[in-house]
Amino acid sequence: MTTKTDTLLDAKRPLLKTPLPGPQARRIVELDQRHVSPSYTRSYPLVARRGRGAMIEDVDGNLFLDFSAGIAVVATGHCHPEVVAAIQQQAGELLHMSGTDFYYEHLVTLAEKLEAITPGNFPKRVFYANSGTEAVEAAVKLARYATGRPYLIAFHGCFHGRTLGSLSLTASKPVQRERFAPLLPGVFHAPYSYPYRCPVGAPPEDCARACLRYLEETILRTSVPPSEVAAVIVEPVQGEGGYVFPPAEFLVGLERICRGHGMLLIADEVQSGMGRTGKWWAFEHAGITPDILCVAKGIASGMPLGITIAAAELMNWKPGAHASTFGGNPVSIAAAQVTIRLLENGLMENARRLGDYILKRLADWPQRHRLVGEVRGRGLMVALELVRDKKTKERASTERDRVVEAAFERGLLVLGCGPNTLRLMPPLVIDPEQADCALDILEDALTQVEKEVG
Ligand SMILES: Cc1ncc(COP(=O)(O)O)c(C=O)c1O
């Protein structure tokens, strides 16, 4: 059914009708501040009412172009009609039964599909949960269970979730850990290859090798015996930590080190997976095969679903060892099945094509904009790192926050990541017109902030 307002939601560009926030948005933000946990991190007062494709309509009828995709979740866009239809149909048949205690076919159908689209020519098994952090919890428990080893290695800058196990791995921002100790013991953090700011001080071209050397020659030689390490967990692209893309050599080296010591390699693809980088999984660009894979966010286009995939011989734990009441909910799985079909029938290719287009347009921004230190990305996972000085690379954190706000004031929804990086993670359905519109707005916002800071 097409109504006047639906036509608006099919629009390609923002349309602001009220000053922001509008009266309804102001009312809801005030109530939210009274009733909802203040631990959430809202960058600006967007109060969403409806969504379609890459557009969001707020409660005052303002239209925004969404380059956040609900934090990399609505892979197929907001309320894709085929996803909505599948959800509605499934909701009328079976809402819940609990895969922990009963069988239903959805669990099998999606597991077979995931097995087919995940590298590694061996039988696999799938564990179902509801969120990214639970997918990571399951991976960590499985790694310990399967190896009988206690220790874990994660990376500086990583984000793996906020439940206490995942939080023990997360090393992205101190506020995420402050006052929550004691965390899981036995977690060691290693330097993550970040060529623009190599954490071990190596030049960009040597950063991957230098970080691997630090892991092998310092951490595994002085701090933890490799024979007692269950797993190394890595984001193939660091998400919350700042959209950091390590060279392929870094991931290949990690795989080699893990194999050499019988440590499992866990890839956390919660943010970088589901076609966002132009392949199903970001680790595929490096040609590696992790032992355990964590998936969530984009997999069900907005329905909650977290998944842990491993070789069948590895995921061989006893009944009762791990489970979840809601995990693998049939409605979420129905959404995931349509999401996967849409991704393989064009959206993943669109992510690759539009990502190339956006990166091409952004390529000269570091020359043209004094706040832009580096542009990096792959597919529709794109970042601009803002700095006050191109030589010292002093982080332009407040300026980044201002650009995010200034973009919102112009009807573009973007978010930051890391201390001073701005990320573009639109739904995979965007078209060139929307990409151009977003970049025009962003450039305008950036130019304004550059003028503000003099
Ligand atoms: C790489 C990564 N892992 C895990 C998580 C946690 O996911 P969730 O918020 O669904 O628990 C996130 C969330 O941003 C993430 O980016």
Side-chain angles (χ1 to χ4, degrees):
M1 190 175 68
T2 304
T3 66
K4 194 158 171 266
T5 324
D6 283 338
T7 311
L8 276 182
L9 283 173
D10 288 335
K12 299 260 189 237
R13 29 181 65 244
L15 183 64
L16 301 181
K17 299 175 177 170
T18 70
L20 298 177
Q24 291 305 324
R26 244 197 327 269
R27 181 181 64 81
I28 292 167
V29 168
E30 276 166 24
L31 288 171
D32 187 290
Q33 284 167 350
R34 220 176 303 154
H35 298 292
V36 177
S37 166
S39 61
Y40 300 147
T41 53
R42 280 70 169 261
S43 303
Y44 40 77
L46 183 270
V47 182
R49 178 163 62 190
R50 305 204 298 156
R52 174 78 52 83
M55 303 305 297
I56 282 285
E57 183 187 46
D58 82 353
V59 284
D60 294 292
N62 297 304
L63 274 184
F64 296 84
L65 179 55
D66 182 9
F67 264 51
S68 78
I71 317 203
V73 168
V74 291
T76 58
H78 293 280
C79 298
H80 191 291
E82 290 177 44
V83 174
V84 172
I87 290 170
Q88 285 171 335
Q89 195 195 338
Q90 183 56 48
E93 290 192 4
L94 183 71
L95 276 178
H96 171 81
M97 196 56 200
S98 188
T100 291
D101 296 285
F102 302 98
Y103 297 97
Y104 45 89
E105 194 167 4
H106 311 70
L107 296 171
V108 181
T109 317
L110 181 59
E112 282 178 337
K113 185 67 193 175
L114 287 168
E115 185 169 348
I117 64 173
T118 303
N121 199 11
F122 43 80
K124 302 176 191 98
R125 287 196 182 122
V126 168
F127 175 85
Y128 288 101
N130 309 285
S131 63
T133 197
E134 289 170 89
V136 170
E137 295 286 345
V140 165
K141 285 179 73 175
L142 179 62
R144 282 185 166 174
Y145 189 98
T147 61
R149 300 177 178 191
Y151 295 120
L152 299 159
I153 293 176
F155 292 91
H156 294 300
C158 71
F159 186 91
H160 295 294
R162 296 171 182 276
T163 50
L164 281 169
S166 304
L167 181 63
S168 312
L169 304 165
T170 290
S172 169
K173 293 189 185 118
V175 67
Q176 293 157 352
R177 302 179 134 230
E178 194 180 342
R179 297 168 72 163
F180 295 127
L183 300 175
L184 206 63
V187 176
F188 295 82
H189 285 96
Y192 187 87
S193 181
Y194 183 176
Y196 184 65
R197 296 178 184 275
C198 185
V200 293
E205 63 281 9
D206 287 336
C207 184
R209 254 165 294 149
C211 290
L212 292 169
R213 208 176 310 124
Y214 189 92
L215 172 61
E216 280 192 289
E217 295 182 9
T218 302
I219 295 179
L220 293 177
R221 212 162 266 168
T222 65
S223 307
V224 56
S227 59
E228 294 183 13
V229 174
V232 173
I233 179 162
V234 67
E235 289 167 274
V237 180
Q238 278 191 346
E240 306 301 305
Y243 271 32
V244 180
F245 290 75
E249 188 188 354
F250 179 68
L251 298 174
V252 170
L254 284 184
E255 186 184 49
R256 171 185 56 76
I257 294 168
C258 285
R259 300 279 182 266
H261 294 290
M263 311 185 296
L264 300 176
L265 183 60
I266 303 173
D268 179 348
E269 291 268 5
V270 167
Q271 188 153 168
S272 55
M274 296 313 295
R276 178 155 292 279
T277 66
K279 291 188 187 282
W280 282 116
W281 319 112
F283 69 72
E284 290 182 81
H285 297 284
I288 63 166
T289 308
D291 299 291
I292 305 179
L293 172 61
C294 304
V295 188
K297 284 194 185 285
I299 185 161
S301 290
M303 295 298 290
L305 190 58
I307 285 184
T308 311
I309 307 169
E313 61 173 9
L314 192 66
M315 194 177 280
N316 197 18
W317 39 14
K318 286 195 189 117
H322 197 44
S324 156
T325 297
F326 289 111
N329 172 278
V331 183
S332 295
I333 291 186
Q337 281 167 328
V338 178
T339 300
I340 290 174
R341 177 162 46 76
L342 291 167
L343 291 175
E344 60 191 358
N345 290 344
L347 293 185
M348 193 155 53
E349 172 57 19
N350 193 53
R352 196 192 54 71
R353 218 179 29 243
L354 270 287
D356 286 350
Y357 178 74
I358 288 173
L359 282 168
K360 214 162 153 190
R361 259 202 70 180
L362 288 173
D364 64 353
W365 286 28
Q367 283 81 53
R368 289 201 292 112
H369 286 279
R370 64 192 182 82
L371 278 176
V372 179
E374 186 178 63
V375 169
R376 48 183 183 253
R378 183 170 265 146
L380 291 176
M381 196 170 186
V382 174
L384 290 87
E385 179 160 347
L386 303 192
V387 294
R388 293 192 180 136
D389 182 306
K390 305 242 164 123
K391 276 216 171 70
T392 63
K393 301 182 184 174
E394 184 190 351
R395 297 178 190 276
S397 304
T398 48
E399 294 86 341
R400 186 276 314 271
D401 293 347
R402 267 300 297 139
V403 176
V404 168
E405 278 166 15
F408 169 69
E409 287 155 12
R410 290 159 171 76
L412 174 68
L413 306 180
V414 290
L415 290 173
C417 58
N420 58 313
T421 298
L422 191 151
R423 57 181 149 170
L424 305 179
M425 47 179 171
L428 277 46
V429 295
I430 58 159
D431 62 22
E433 189 183 336
Q434 288 170 320
D436 277 329
C437 176
L439 295 179
D440 291 344
I441 293 175
L442 191 60
E443 183 149 37
D444 192 40
L446 186 60
T447 307
Q448 181 200 314
V449 175
E450 285 171 338
K451 279 192 193 129
E452 280 169 15
V453 296

